[in-house]
């Protein structure tokens, strides 16, 4: 008993020593701080040494940096709360980098709709409802038993087959290159002269029907010219012992999807390949066009709906809006007071018709005073709607139906800062054809860029005049001169106007130039066909 009692304090001291050692081991510093210090910031010195000095030193070391940072943060928060300015640019400044003007664009659209709605309401109050879809048929047909325009479109297949079989004989060596070139030249020349002669000398062809026929033959002319060139390039590559040619060298290689095999020359000389190219929304021929994987029915139906909607809208606007304005502008009136611009237009007209100046003075009085501003707006709207109908709805519909992969039919021409950029981007198929088959060949023959560009504008001016003067059966060269005037206009805009000013100049030339050109043809057509009625 005594030994046990004597040993009890010793055991107690051992247990206390073991507990203290365990406690010290659990509270060892980690990265210079103890666990307690890491868990409870600002409390240090929880160790075996509990002197006041050791407690106060870590506490001060912890509180001092925190208090400085907190003071600085509170100072910054206070200054931020009191200040409301910072260095920045105004949104309309070019240095701001701001480019989201959707609200302003919506405002312009709303104002455009409201202004034209007012004009349309005035038109309804003055003329009533003039829309008659049945009258549209008379624009294409004078005699229901005579369909010359449709017959000319059917005859165009002869030129397609001539080009195909000529290329087949050239690939086999049955025709020499000189003979094949001669056949192609004769065929292409007849394509331009034959329909023009029919339109000029067959009275049953209407101006609208004639314009449709000549437009079809012009497109086919450009396509067959490209077909001739590409097959010639293929034969040249065959002579150089090239085994395969998927596309012509002037175009980038296409993306070929699985299941679409590449065609090599002369395997492309088939009726199926030829008519695919004839109906494809492009003017440049290739052996292997990029193809889309499938036909999207929803996309196809949307484009079809747009085509039908805009076609009907065209008919309504022309019958309800354009025709009354033109008719009212042609009525002779008394008491003339013409502006300088109208006088200049009359002087241009006098160069062709000096004997009917009085008729013109009477006819254009009302146009200038009350109708000229209305003429520009409908004409411009019709042009914009035609662009969307043809280049977006119709060409995308055809491309989707044929699974044609290249859908870049236009570029951002509305942002054009130069006239040259506008003509390069508003009609991509024609631009590609001119660049590939006309401009670059001229450069390769040693012509300068200025001469080549002038030649391209000359070719475009010829076809513009061809598509307007022949259907109207009168040659006044207004379209030709208007296109050739783009050359000095392009130089002036590119030299003196830049940025937004250049873009505004391009838009002004589009909005103002077209109605004046239309008025010149309307004037001459009126004088030729309706002068006696006006007298």
């Amino acid at each position: 008993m005594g030994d046990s009692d004597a040993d009890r304090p010793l055991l107690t001291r051992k247990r206390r020593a073991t507990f203290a050692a365990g406690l010290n081991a659990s509270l060892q510093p980690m990265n210079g701080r103890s666990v307690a210090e890491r868990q409870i910031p600002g409390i240090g010195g929880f160790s075996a040494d509990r002197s006041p000095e050791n407690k106060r030193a870590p506490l001060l070391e912890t509180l001092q940096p925190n208090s400085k940072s907190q003071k600085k943060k509170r100072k910054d928060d206070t200054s931020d709360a009191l200040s409301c300015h910072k260095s920045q640019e105004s949104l309309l400044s070019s240095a701001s980098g701001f480019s989201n003007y959707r609200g302003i664009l919506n405002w312009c659209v709303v104002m455009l709709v409201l202004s034209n709605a007012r004009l349309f309401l005035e038109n309804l109050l003055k003329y009533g409802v003039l829309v008659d879809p049945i009258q549209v048929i008379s624009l294409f047909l004078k005699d229901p038993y005579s369909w010359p325009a449709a017959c000319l479109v059917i005859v165009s297949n002869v030129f397609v087959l001539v080009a195909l079989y000529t290329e087949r004989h050239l690939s086999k060596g049955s025709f020499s290159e000189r003979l094949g070139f001669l056949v192609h030249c004769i065929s292409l020349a007849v394509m331009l002269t034959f329909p023009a002669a029919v339109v000029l000398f067959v009275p049953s062809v209407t101006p609208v029907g004639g314009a449709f026929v000549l437009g079809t033959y012009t497109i086919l002319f450009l396509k067959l010219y490209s077909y001739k060139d590409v097959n010639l390039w293929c034969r040249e590559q065959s002579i150089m012992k090239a085994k395969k040619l998927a596309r012509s060298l002037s175009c980038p290689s296409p993306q070929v999807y699985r299941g679409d095999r590449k065609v090599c020359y002369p395997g492309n000389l088939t009726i199926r390949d030829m008519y695919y190219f004839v109906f494809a929304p492009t003017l440049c021929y290739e052996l292997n066009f990029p193809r889309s994987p499938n036909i999207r029915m929803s996309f196809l139906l949307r484009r079809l709906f747009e085509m039908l909607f805009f076609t009907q809208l065209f008919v309504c606007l022309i019958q309800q809006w354009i025709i009354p304005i033109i008719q009212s502008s042609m009525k002779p009136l008394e008491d003339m007071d013409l502006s300088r611009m109208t006088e200049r237009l009359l002087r241009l007209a006098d160069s062709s018709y000096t004997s009917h100046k009085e008729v013109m003075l009477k006819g254009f009085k009302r146009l200038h005073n009350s109708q000229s501003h209305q003429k520009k707006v409908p004409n411009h709207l019709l042009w914009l709607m035609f662009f969307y109908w043809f280049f977006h709805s119709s060409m995308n519909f055809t491309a989707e139906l044929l699974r044609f992969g290249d859908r870049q039919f236009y570029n951002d021409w509305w942002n054009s800062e130069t006239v040259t950029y506008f003509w390069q981007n508003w009609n991509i198929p024609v631009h590609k054809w001119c660049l590939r088959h006309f401009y670059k060949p001229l450069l390769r023959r040693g012509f300068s860029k200025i001469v080549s560009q002038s030649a391209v504008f000359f070719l475009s001016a010829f076809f513009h005049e061809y598509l307007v003067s022949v259907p109207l059966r009168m040659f006044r060269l207004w379209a030709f001169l208007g296109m050739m005037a783009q050359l000095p206009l392009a130089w002036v805009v590119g030299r003196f106007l830049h940025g937004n000013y250049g873009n505004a100049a391009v838009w002004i030339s589009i909005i103002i130039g077209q109605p004046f050109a239309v008025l010149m043809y309307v004037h001459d057509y009126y004088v030729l066909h309706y002068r006696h009625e006006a007298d």
Side-chain angles (χ1 to χ4, degrees), residues 24-38 46-47:
N24 289 332
S26 63
L27 297 178
Q28 288 297 321
M30 300 177 65
N31 296 328
R33 298 179 63 186
S34 65
V35 176
E37 287 175 338
R38 288 186 297 107
F46 184 71
S47 61

Side-chain angles (χ1 to χ4, degrees), residues 161-174:
L161 297 177
V162 168
L164 174 61
Y165 284 102
T166 301
E167 289 299 328
R168 282 186 176 180
H169 284 289
L170 286 170
S171 66
K172 295 175 183 178
S174 303

Side-chain angles (χ1 to χ4, degrees), residues 49-161:
D49 190 2
R50 302 193 180 190
S51 62
E53 293 80 2
N54 292 335
K55 289 182 181 179
R56 191 175 302 163
L59 181 61
L60 292 176
E61 291 177 359
T62 307
L63 288 177
Q64 283 179 356
N66 288 339
S67 61
K68 290 181 180 179
S69 62
Q70 289 176 359
K71 287 180 180 179
K72 185 177 180 181
K73 184 176 181 181
R74 282 197 298 268
K75 185 177 179 180
D76 293 340
D77 293 342
T78 304
S79 62
D80 290 342
L82 295 177
S83 65
C84 62
H85 297 285
K86 62 179 180 179
S87 298
Q88 55 186 341
E89 297 287 343
S90 298
L91 288 184
L92 296 181
S93 253
S94 58
S96 67
F98 183 78
S99 59
N100 185 10
Y101 298 101
R102 172 168 290 189
I104 296 179
L105 178 62
N106 292 335
W107 170 76
C108 293
V109 172
V110 170
M111 293 301 297
L112 184 66
V113 171
L114 291 178
S115 60
N116 285 278
R118 179 186 63 83
L119 295 177
F120 192 75
L121 181 60
E122 291 179 358
N123 180 276
L124 286 177
L125 294 176
K126 185 175 182 179
Y127 299 105
V129 179
L130 302 176
V131 177
D132 185 6
I134 304 299
Q135 292 182 355
V136 179
I137 301 176
S138 64
L139 297 176
F140 294 90
L141 295 175
K142 285 185 178 179
D143 185 359
Y145 299 100
S146 177
W147 296 49
C151 293
L152 284 173
V153 173
I154 295 173
V155 170
S156 65
N157 290 277
V158 174
F159 300 97
V160 175
L161 297 177

Side-chain angles (χ1 to χ4, degrees), residues 1-9:
M1 292 290 292
D3 295 337
S4 63
D5 295 334
D7 294 337
R8 187 172 298 169

Side-chain angles (χ1 to χ4, degrees), residues 265-280:
Y265 183 83
N268 63 306
L269 301 177
T270 62
I271 293 181
R272 178 188 178 93
D273 180 86
M274 169 60 91
Y275 275 96
Y276 180 87
F277 172 56
V278 168
F279 289 103

Side-chain angles (χ1 to χ4, degrees), residues 292-326:
S292 57
N294 50 30
I295 298 176
R296 299 168 293 177
M297 291 304 300
S298 59
F299 182 87
L300 191 71
L301 293 176
R302 284 199 301 271
R303 301 289 84 80
L304 178 62
F305 173 77
E306 290 174 354
M307 290 170 60
L308 298 176
F309 172 76
F310 279 107
T311 301
Q312 185 62 36
L313 187 60
F314 283 142
V315 174
C316 294
L317 288 179
I318 291 174
Q319 289 184 331
Q320 185 68 41
W321 210 340
I322 300 298
I323 292 178
I325 293 175
I326 293 177

Side-chain angles (χ1 to χ4, degrees), residues 230-261:
V230 173
N231 283 290
L232 175 62
W233 298 338
C234 291
R235 285 194 301 275
E236 292 175 351
Q237 291 295 322
S238 299
I239 294 174
M240 296 169 60
K241 297 182 180 180
K243 295 182 179 180
K244 293 183 179 180
L245 182 65
R247 290 166 62 104
S248 71
L249 298 177
S250 60
C251 293
S253 58
Q255 182 180 2
V256 180
Y257 297 93
R258 295 182 179 178
D260 293 336
R261 62 183 183 86

